[in-house]
Each structure stands twice: as C-alpha cells, then as structure tokens.
Amino acid sequence: MNNKFKGASHRKSYTAKTCNQACGCPSISKNKKPYWHMIFIIPALLLAGAGMLFGDTLRAVPFAWAEYAVFAAAYLLVGWQVLLAAGKNFIRGKLFNEYSLMTIATLGAFTIQALPEAVAVMLFFRVGEMFQEHSVSRSRKSIQALLDVRPDYARLKKENSTKKVSPGKVQPGDTIIVHPGEKIPLDGEVESGHTIVDTSPITGEPVPRSAGVGSMVAAGTINLSSLITVRVTKKFAESSIAKILELVENAIERKAPAERFITTFARYYTPAVVMVAVLIAIIPPVFVSGQDFSTWFYRSMVLLVISCPCALVVSVPLTYFAGIGGASRKGILFKGAAFLDIMNGVKKIVFDKTGTLTKGSFKVKAIVPHNGYSQEALLELAASIEAHSSHPIALSIQQAHGEPATLLSVNNLTETSGLGVRARVGSSWVMAGNQQLLNQHNISTPVASHEGTIVHLSVDDDYAGYIAISDELKEEATLAVQRLKELGVEDLVMLTGDSRQPAEVIARRLELDQFHASLLPEEKLDIVEGMLEQIRGKNAIAVVGDGINDSPILARADVGIAMGGLGSDAAIETADVVIMDDNLTKLAQAVRIARTTRRIVWQNIILTLGVKGAFLALGAVGLATMWSAVFADVGVTLLAIINAVRAAGKGGKAGN
Ligand code: ADP
Ligand code: MG
C-alpha cells in the first residue's frame, strides 16, 4: 500500500497552505486567543439586535439610511477580516475563493435590503472561527504537553564522566557522547568513533551516511551503529519538540484522502457556483418575458450563500486535528492525519518482542562463566561494555552490576542492532550478544542450560561465558491483544531478534497468530515486505516496535508505531505514531479514536451536502429565503465545526 505519506519524503513539501489555495476558506489559523473574536461579536450582535428591534423607525428616514448605517456597522465589525481577505485575494488575482464568495453574497444581500441576513452570515462565520481556533489551540496544547514528556538531552563529557544535561546547557567547544540508537542533540564534528548516521529526519533522504573522525553531524539525525564523541560546533537552536509540534500542526498538509478530496472539490466547485449564480441572475430576466431582474437577482444571491463550501473545507481538517489533539491527551502522538485514517483499516499488526510486548526490564537469572572467569569478573566485563548501549538488555545488565565507578574503560564500541555489542576493553576485543554475533566472529557457543534470553560473552577469540536473563510480559499485553481482536484486527504477528525459546513462550501466552525468532533487522524487513506484498494495499499493516533494529520496518509499514518511553530515538523518529507511556492498550484506543474521527468526518460531509442540496433545490424554484440560505451556509458550518470538535473527545489530563 503506497498511499501513505512517509514523514521523511513528505516533510519537504510543508510550504503550501492547504485551504487558502484551494478556495480561500479560513485555514486553521495560529497563535490567536480564540476569544478575542468576542470583542467584535458582542457589539455586532447588539447593533444588529437593535437594528431589528427598531427596524421600522430606522427605515422611516429618507432611503432608510439609518437602518443601513446600523447594519453596516455591525457588518463591518464582524466581517472586516473577510472583506480584507477577499480584497487581498482579489489583488493577487484569486477571484474565486470563499472570501470573495461571502463578500459578493453579503454585499448582494445589502443591495436587496436583506440587511440582517448579511450581518448574520458574517456573524455566524465569526463564531465558527472562534470555536475552530479554540479547538485548534486546545489540540496544540495537548500535543505540546505530550511532547514535553520526553525532553531532549545531551550526554555532556566531563574529564572522566558523562552527565545527562539539557542540550541548551551545552556550549560550542564542549564534547558530547552519543550512544548507538540515540538522536544527535547538537550540531558538531565527530572527535572519535565511526558510525552510520540516519539523516532522514532532517533531509528526508533515507540513505544512511557513514561518519568518522572529522565528519560533521547535524542535530536531529540519528546515530545508528556506534558510540561517537562529538565536539559541539553550534549552540542548541531548536528543540525537536518544537520541530515535532510544527510537524503535527502542519499535519493537515499530510492530508488524509477525505481531505484531499475536499480540496480538489472546492477548487472546481467555487467558480462553477459563481458562474451558475451569474447565469441565474441574467438569463431568465433577459430571455424570458415577464421575469423581473430583482426576483432573479435575489435567487441568485440566495444560491450563492447556500453554496459556500466552507462547512466542508473547514470541518474536515479540523476534525482530524481535533482527533490528533484528543489522541495526544491520551498519550498517543499521531504525526499526521493520514495515519489517523490508516489506523481505521488496520487488519494486521506486527509486534516486536523485547520492549514492545515485554517490559524490557530484564532480570539477571544466572551468570555462567567459562574458561576460568569468576562470576564477578564476567558481570563486570558485560556491564562495562553494555554501559555504552541503550538497549534494554544493556540497561538491565548495568543495573545488575550496580556500581558504575568500577567499570572498565571501553573504546571503539560498535553495536550491531539485533545482535549485540563489540568493543575494546584494555587490549582485548570483547563481545556481548547473542549466538549469531559470536558465531559471526567464529566463536562457537555452548548450548545454555538456562531458559530466557542468553547474552554470550567472549574475550578475543575465546568464549567467556553467558548471562541468562529473563524478561516479563507487560501486564496489559493480554488485554491489549484481546481488545485489538475485538476491534477486528485479524492477524497478530511477533518478530524478534531474540532466540526461539523465549519468543515461543511469549507468543503462546498471548495467543498470537504467528511468530518468527532469531531475526536480523534485514530479515524483519523482508518479512514485513512480504506481508505488504501479499496484502497489496487491500488493508493496512501496522508495525509496533521500540528498537533501532525496528526502524526499517516502522518506516516501511503502512503505519509505524513506536514505544515512546523505552523506545530508541531511532524508532521514535521514524514512526508515524508514538505511544508515549509504552502501554499496549493504547493501540486499541488509537484505533477507536481513528474510527470516531472518520465517523465524524463522514457525518459532516453528509450533513453539509444534504442540507445544501436540499436548500439549493428549494432555492432554484424560488422557495428558499435569504434566511434559509444563511442557515444552509454558516449555520451548517457552525454545526459541522461543533461536531468536528467532538473528535477531540472528552477533556482530561494531557500527557497522561
Ligand atoms: P526484539 O527484536 O525482540 O526487540 P532486539 O532485536 O532488540 O529484540 O534484540 C535481539 C537480540 O539481540 C537480543 O535478544 C539479544 O540477544 C541481542 N542483543 C541486541 N542488543 C544487545 C545488547 N546491547 N547486548 C546484548 N545482546 C543484545
Ligand atoms: Mg525491541
């Protein structure tokens, strides 16, 4: 299924402004206090009310100028923005847009002395804007709160130690350390180490680049393979939080299919409607005897007002944005509307095991030395080299060892995702990883007599022993699987780099449909590609993962979902959806939010087209008044906006 907008390649095209271009409808506006509209709405409401109440008196003066004055004042109070926008568009040569449509229609209403109606159009429109801005700013706040949960950090190197600090505290000239799988927090030059860098979060180029001593590396790119030290060359400029927020706000650019349809629709629709209105005003009075111009002009104006497409153009993106905001409040970050749409139709979900289905907090069960090592020495060796990895296994081994001060010094560390780590300790090469890693270096491994995940160790060419560790299933995993099945997900698959025995235990417990073990990252990718091929866009495949080795499959899936807590930066950056607290039941929740959003989008499309269609039919035979037209336009828009806001769900605390 290739209809997705992958982050990287799509990120380049963020310049175009969706809605304005198509039809001039108010696009989702930024950074305003929604209630400032009240300053205009209230006086306009009072004026129009007075105008209607004292209409007879006001009309009694010559040419009813007093009535015109009162309504014109109210009209300008609420409508000046629309008039201004219409004027600006006109100067730019954009004749057909929502603003010009509203301007022509309301000025037309003035000429036929439908004054309250003209004011009502602008007034309701303004109220709609207010609701819309309120909803947008609420969503933005939720997203922001969610992103604050996972702050950026840099590992600042001091003499003999490193300290995690906020990147803003790092000065040019300082040295930082970046572990494999981490995001490089600041621009700089590689001082030591050699690694592969994934630059796609910045450049959109999915080709990993190699970086050695002297190479420049950019903030925001991901260190994929080895530990590097970087001399910082620039101060911290923009946090990734700011970047992600911008990305999500521009989520309307990464449009869901329904939105794209609306945009295209509006582009042809608006000029067509204006043409029809002009024809209705001119043809009958000119060519049919006994038809007077004012009747047909009135009808033409009614038609124009009814047919404004704003309700759709505004409510559809708003619904998605509200849905994204609502999801954020539940701790689920959607990086675009398209993914909200894809989540609807997910039939197959591929899970990674460690850190995704399991807690990733391993407990050391046994330390089994070989070749004369003591248990302490073996654990120390393992902890020393694992101190430079961010893999859950590494963290657990460090914890089992405890005291970081006694660790041996380590150089030239390389982590091969899905296999393990290799580094120089003193004058020896030490490896910690699975059987495949050691076998690749021609070191044979004995069959372990312990259950669980086995981390084998070697020193130079000799096998040194193993550490058996066990991981626990996340508490909510069974419930999460059950809920997904209830929602109609048919196929649940587990792919893991771990060996068969611990994988099988998990797959059995969760009653998964399939599992594949001992996979290298490229094998995981092959399997996912095979599945995509098989399914061929008929329905969607989601991949859920946390590790560096999961990022290729997260990128390839129709929707990639990363664990935001334990997950590596590599996975989080590539994913389309991030579950901030790693809770698996959020998957079902994400599907439900996606379905609610989709349902509201369709409700609005049907509501709008239905009402407009009915009133257009009435208008054509002369039965619709200007008031009914006002309802069919701004009234429906308002209803659609209020409905759209529902996609955000009920309140509740942000960030979760
Ligand atoms: P999963 O695919 O289940 O999430 P990973 O791909 O992250 O698991 O890891 C697969 C296997 O690779 C682990 O079970 C372990 O044997 C080995 N491995 C990966 N990283 C490390 C590490 N830092 N130290 C030791 N072993 C590792
Ligand atoms: Mg994993």
Side-chain angles (χ1 to χ4, degrees), residues 70-289:
V70 168
F71 282 102
Y75 176 79
L76 289 176
L77 268 173
V78 273
W80 61 269
Q81 278 182 312
V82 172
L83 300 181
L84 205 68
K88 275 189 189 153
N89 276 327
F90 187 77
I91 292 168
R92 284 197 215 110
K94 289 187 201 153
L95 302 185
F96 298 113
N97 53 70
E98 182 70 6
Y99 297 120
S100 62
L101 213 58
M102 286 178 66
T103 305
I104 299 170
T106 49
L107 292 181
F110 261 94
T111 62
I112 54 175
Q113 223 181 344
L115 307 183
E117 289 92 328
V119 175
V121 169
M122 292 299 191
L123 194 75
F124 280 123
F125 180 78
R126 200 68 186 254
V127 174
E129 282 256 280
M130 188 175 70
F131 274 119
Q132 190 195 339
E133 281 167 21
H134 174 71
S135 161
V136 168
S137 88
R138 204 166 87 112
S139 287
R140 185 181 301 124
K141 278 191 200 131
S142 314
I143 298 165
Q144 177 111 45
L146 185 68
L147 292 172
D148 284 340
V149 171
R150 204 172 186 283
D152 285 342
Y153 61 86
R155 296 177 191 271
L156 183 61
K157 194 172 173 195
K158 296 258 172 76
E159 319 268 288
N160 287 324
S161 63
T162 58
K163 210 172 130 202
K164 261 187 166 183
V165 297
S166 135
K169 296 227 166 77
V170 180
Q171 300 299 325
D174 284 347
T175 302
I176 57 169
I177 290 179
V178 187
H179 288 182
E182 286 184 335
K183 182 165 55 190
I184 299 173
L186 295 123
D187 287 349
E189 186 184 327
V190 178
E191 228 172 35
S192 71
H194 189 108
T195 193
I196 309 287
V197 177
D198 176 7
T199 56
S200 61
I202 299 291
T203 61
E205 281 306 316
V207 193
R209 199 169 61 86
S210 113
V213 176
S215 309
M216 301 305 291
V217 286
T221 54
I222 311 260
N223 176 13
L224 286 183
S225 66
S226 307
L227 183 109
I228 48 171
T229 56
V230 174
R231 198 173 49 77
V232 174
T233 52
K234 259 201 218 143
K235 270 185 90 80
F236 183 63
E238 192 185 15
S239 69
S240 60
I241 291 185
K243 273 188 217 135
I244 296 188
L245 189 60
E246 186 188 3
L247 188 119
V248 181
E249 277 185 356
N250 287 325
I252 30 174
E253 300 294 334
R254 314 164 109 192
K255 280 179 272 175
E259 296 183 72
R260 273 179 285 151
F261 163 74
I262 297 298
T263 316
T264 321
F265 171 76
R267 188 175 309 147
Y268 296 103
Y269 174 82
T270 313
V273 165
V274 174
M275 275 307 296
V276 172
V278 170
L279 294 179
I280 288 183
I282 294 174
I283 294 187
V286 173
F287 294 102
V288 185
S289 63

Side-chain angles (χ1 to χ4, degrees), residues 543-556:
V543 168
V544 193
D546 70 306
I548 320 175
N549 59 333
D550 297 321
S551 49
I553 51 174
L554 290 173
R556 192 64 191 82

Side-chain angles (χ1 to χ4, degrees), residues 352 354-356 546-547 550:
D352 160 66
T354 316
T356 301
D546 70 306
D550 297 321

Side-chain angles (χ1 to χ4, degrees), residues 351-358 362 382 385-386 388-395 397 414-422 431-437 453-456 469 471 494-499 502-503 516 518-521 524 545-550 553:
F351 292 94
D352 160 66
K353 178 179 78 76
T354 316
T356 301
L357 291 173
T358 67
F362 292 85
I385 83 166
E386 295 287 19
H388 306 279
S389 162
S390 304
H391 195 277
I393 289 181
L395 300 178
I397 290 183
T414 306
E415 175 157 359
T416 314
S417 62
L419 293 178
V421 277
R422 179 169 185 268
M431 286 191 282
N434 54 18
Q435 188 186 350
Q436 285 139 295
L437 178 75
T453 302
I454 307 292
V455 178
H456 295 282
I469 50 183
D471 194 3
M494 181 176 82
L495 303 183
T496 177
D498 203 355
S499 50
H516 304 263
S518 302
L519 299 172
L520 296 173
K524 282 191 176 186
D546 70 306
I548 320 175
N549 59 333
D550 297 321
I553 51 174

